[in-house]
Amino acid sequence: MAEATRVAKSELAAASVCEPNTPLSMNAEATRAKSELAAARKLARRESKDRHWYRARPAAQRFAGLANEGSTCYLASLLQSLFFIEEVREAVYAFKYAHAVHGPAEHCVPLQLARLFARLQLTTCQAVSTRALTTSFGWSRADAFQQ
């Protein structure tokens, strides 16, 4: 879990769109909010997502969902079910990635699954993208729309 958690934490820190606001002056906060909103809208347009997917989870919502990347709702359901089985999570986190053995990280399914699980645990967003995992399957964006 250490590698996946480290990567997920660094990715989440870089994508501050979903991170909770820190106390700043009102002008600085307004400027920051505007720039984050603009960045989130740009990202949503680029990834053909609903423009509100980036919104932070309400405090009452304990868990994050998975974004539907096309016709991937069955995959998301399976992944969420597996995520909530502690033994499965532990086995996924126990995977040790080695570039020489497993090839490029973006094509390593177990590594991408561990990263997805880590994001589900660490994110403050309402939903997490499955794009890196489906890419590791060898699926293109068009393939994600096939049932």
Side-chain angles (χ1 to χ4, degrees):
M1 177 172 164
E3 171 64 14
T5 302
R6 184 189 60 74
V7 170
K9 281 183 178 178
S10 67
E11 289 173 359
L12 288 171
S16 63
V17 174
C18 296
E19 293 303 304
N21 293 332
T22 55
L24 299 172
S25 72
M26 287 304 288
N27 287 340
E29 183 65 28
T31 302
R32 178 178 168 217
K34 283 181 183 179
S35 66
E36 287 180 358
L37 182 59
R41 285 182 178 154
K42 184 177 180 182
L43 180 64
R45 276 194 308 272
R46 187 173 62 230
E47 294 185 357
S48 302
K49 293 186 179 191
D50 174 33
R51 66 188 184 109
H52 298 295
W53 70 271
Y54 61 87
R55 289 187 178 157
R57 284 193 313 231
Q61 182 184 342
R62 285 185 56 201
F63 304 108
L66 291 171
N68 190 356
E69 308 285 351
S71 296
T72 60
C73 52
Y74 294 112
L75 173 66
S77 176
L78 173 64
L79 291 170
Q80 288 169 327
S81 297
L82 292 173
F83 175 76
F84 280 101
I85 301 171
E86 188 174 338
E87 294 82 4
V88 172
R89 250 191 348 263
E90 288 175 6
V92 168
Y93 288 150
F95 174 74
K96 303 285 189 233
Y97 171 74
H99 185 273
V101 176
H102 303 106
E106 61 271 9
H107 298 294
C108 182
V109 174
L111 177 63
Q112 295 305 323
L113 183 59
R115 287 178 173 177
L116 178 66
F117 280 10
R119 284 188 201 103
L120 282 170
Q121 281 189 285
L122 300 171
T123 190
T124 59
C125 292
Q126 290 180 337
V128 174
S129 174
T130 60
R131 181 140 317 126
L133 180 63
T134 57
T135 299
S136 74
F137 297 161
W139 295 1
S140 68
R141 290 180 92 177
D143 291 332
F145 285 93
Q146 301 277 329
Q147 286 200 10

